[in-house]
Amino acid sequence: MEIDISFHAMLRPLLTTSLRHQETIAHNIGRRTSIKDVIESFDIPHTEIGSILVNGNAVDFSWLPYPGDHIQVSPLGIPVDPCRASLLRPNPFPHLRFLVDVNVAKLRTYLHMIGMDTLYEPDLTDSELARLAVQKQCIVLSRDRGLLRRKIIDHGHLIRSQNPTKQLAEVLTYYGLQNKINPFSRCIHCNNVLQPIAKKDILNNLEPLTKKYYDDFSHCRACNRIYWPGSHREGMEQTLKRALQISQEWSGVYSSLK
Ligand SMILES: [Zn+2]
């Protein structure tokens, strides 16, 4: 049976080259199958979808298409808010928390740098990651479409860029985090929120030059690491500044595509 399916301009770059420039695709489906499976047969994970209209009416992922249906598939509106319920995602999250896949590992450091609650479990399999995302109510960030196609994952984002600074810009833009960041407030090793600590309490743990030049310190109570402003932080501040610049440019592009 044949249906017509059209993908919004923002989703079309995810299609194979031969389909990318078609506004409407005539598509044959051999058996009754859910609209989620039809969309994902084009290699677009359901996590990227914000609404599905069938002959002008909104449907959810379980809907079964009929021959002759006209289907319009749109992305999530940017900024995406996982804490708000929608037809496709009736169970909103109580918080903003990320789970970063190993294929975007550097992004995890950057999200910790800006103070975002971010889990990272590089040794888990895809099915274990998906289960953890459900259990801890995390948004999955990955470049792996197969992981994001897993049905139990409600909230996720397919990271488009290969460059870590642009990946950070992508997450800042997509989830509207530009004004929600709290740089250097979280441990970049274990995700714990840092606490200020008095210099006099850690004098014995400091190298001579650190002791001489720095007065403000924070402490991770979970892994016992000490943080202070240094050359390492300057590099990260540059990365964040660049990511915020890119994010500002992209926000303009996204709003023109609505
Ligand atoms: Zn820590």
Side-chain angles (χ1 to χ4, degrees):
M1 66 180 197
E2 193 170 287
I3 56 170
D4 286 341
I5 186 161
S6 59
F7 290 96
H8 185 279
M10 273 176 61
L11 293 172
R12 271 184 233 146
L14 299 178
L15 295 168
T16 55
T17 322
S18 59
L19 297 175
R20 211 167 283 170
H21 302 291
Q22 290 187 37
E23 284 210 8
T24 302
I25 301 164
H27 181 63
N28 262 305
I29 44 178
R31 59 184 172 85
R32 295 302 299 281
T33 182
S34 74
I35 192 67
K36 175 185 179 290
D37 288 345
V38 172
I39 291 168
E40 291 189 330
S41 71
F42 289 91
D43 210 18
I44 298 182
H46 69 280
T47 50
E48 307 310 296
I49 308 306
S51 71
I52 307 164
L53 296 182
V54 176
N55 307 321
N57 300 311
V59 299
D60 67 20
F61 286 126
S62 64
W63 194 84
L64 300 172
Y66 288 83
D69 277 344
H70 298 285
I71 297 167
Q72 292 166 273
V73 185
S74 298
L76 286 135
I78 293 171
V80 173
D81 183 2
C83 302
R84 255 180 48 195
S86 65
L87 178 62
L88 296 185
R89 292 173 190 83
N91 304 310
F93 282 171
H95 49 231
L96 206 57
R97 177 182 291 151
F98 296 99
L99 174 62
V100 170
D101 195 3
V102 70
N103 53 37
V104 285
K106 187 81 180 171
L107 180 58
R108 163 256 185 158
T109 309
Y110 288 167
L111 288 175
H112 280 150
M113 171 186 83
I114 62 169
M116 287 294 145
D117 189 359
T118 305
L119 306 188
Y120 181 66
E121 298 290 346
D123 298 326
L124 296 189
T125 63
D126 278 8
S127 65
E128 289 168 335
L129 274 180
R131 277 205 300 277
L132 183 67
V134 174
Q135 189 194 346
K136 301 279 187 183
Q137 296 182 295
C138 295
I139 301 162
V140 180
L141 301 175
S142 178
R143 285 182 54 77
D144 177 1
R145 299 186 193 206
L147 172 62
L148 295 172
R149 273 204 295 262
R150 287 177 180 262
K151 198 175 181 177
I152 61 169
I153 295 180
D154 250 356
H155 294 276
H157 179 53
L158 180 70
I159 298 294
R160 315 299 209 261
S161 177
Q162 295 190 41
N163 171 287
T165 304
K166 287 185 177 174
Q167 290 172 352
L168 175 61
E170 208 175 309
V171 177
L172 288 171
T173 314
Y174 199 72
Y175 294 102
L177 304 179
Q178 297 94 335
N179 299 317
K180 295 180 183 165
I181 60 178
N182 190 5
F184 311 111
S185 62
R186 209 172 267 274
C187 178
I188 57 172
H189 293 276
C190 70
N191 192 41
N192 201 43
V193 175
L194 300 175
Q195 306 294 330
I197 191 165
K199 186 176 179 179
K200 65 178 172 51
D201 294 338
I202 49 166
L203 275 181
N204 293 338
N205 301 333
L206 301 178
E207 298 290 331
L209 286 178
T210 312
K211 203 183 291 185
K212 185 174 175 188
Y213 289 112
Y214 298 100
D215 292 314
D216 296 325
F217 295 88
S218 48
H219 175 231
C220 173
R221 286 180 184 163
C223 73
N224 214 23
R225 284 184 167 84
I226 309 275
Y227 291 85
W228 63 90
S231 55
H232 185 54
R233 184 179 288 194
E234 280 167 30
M236 286 195 167
E237 277 168 350
Q238 286 303 315
T239 300
L240 177 56
K241 198 174 156 190
R242 180 74 190 121
L244 283 167
Q245 278 170 351
I246 300 169
S247 172
Q248 200 171 15
E249 290 161 21
W250 285 350
S251 294
V253 174
Y254 284 131
S255 57
S256 71
L257 275 168
K258 275 178 188 165

